[in-house]
């Protein structure tokens, strides 16, 4: 929403550059806008924010040692639906508690 006539004039002059409605407006936008205005989707790309994949993850080593190192830990060995389990734990109250630890969690929560 513009507040002044100057803001409205600025908006009307910039809108065809970023949202061309004809081939002529598109040609004018190409000459008026900077060459680098983003990627194919118009998004600004920042080199520091790109995701980097380490060489360890890309290594094609079939040895058991490297596979074990990558899959070691509770997360890699996890199975089941953790979201459903979390909802069940949060919905549990003292009378519904199946285990002493669930009862203690319900007690501490209130």
């Amino acid at each position: 929403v513009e507040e002044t006539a100057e803001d409205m004039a600025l908006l009307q002059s910039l809108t065809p550059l970023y949202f061309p409605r004809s081939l002529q407006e598109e040609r004018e936008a190409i000459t008026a806008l900077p060459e680098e205005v983003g990627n194919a989707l118009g998004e600004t790309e920042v080199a520091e924010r790109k995701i980097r994949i380490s060489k360890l993850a890309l290594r094609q080593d079939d040895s058991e040692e490297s596979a074990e190192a990558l899959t070691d830990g509770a997360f890699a060995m996890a199975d089941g639906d953790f979201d459903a389990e979390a909802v069940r734990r949060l919905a549990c109250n003292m009378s519904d508690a199946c285990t002493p630890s669930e009862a203690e969690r319900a007690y501490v929560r209130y």
Side-chain angles (χ1 to χ4, degrees), residues 27-96:
R27 286 187 190 120
E28 290 172 8
I30 289 172
T31 59
L33 290 175
E35 191 171 315
E36 186 59 43
V37 292
N39 63 11
L41 299 174
E43 300 169 331
T44 303
E45 292 182 341
V46 180
E48 295 96 34
R49 298 189 72 200
K50 286 190 177 183
I51 297 173
R52 295 170 193 83
I53 299 174
S54 69
K55 293 185 182 200
L56 177 63
L58 296 174
R59 186 172 24 155
Q60 297 295 326
D61 190 5
D62 292 334
S63 69
E64 286 184 29
E65 182 179 321
S66 65
E68 186 176 309
L70 291 174
T71 59
D72 190 28
F75 181 76
M77 301 300 185
D79 59 347
D81 187 358
F82 290 100
D83 292 332
E85 179 65 23
V87 168
R88 186 188 66 76
R89 281 195 316 266
L90 288 172
C92 178
N93 57 32
M94 289 291 286
S95 61
D96 295 337

Side-chain angles (χ1 to χ4, degrees), residues 5 20 26 34 72 76 78 98-99 104 109:
E26 188 174 349
D72 190 28
C98 301
T99 65
E104 182 178 346
R109 193 171 58 231

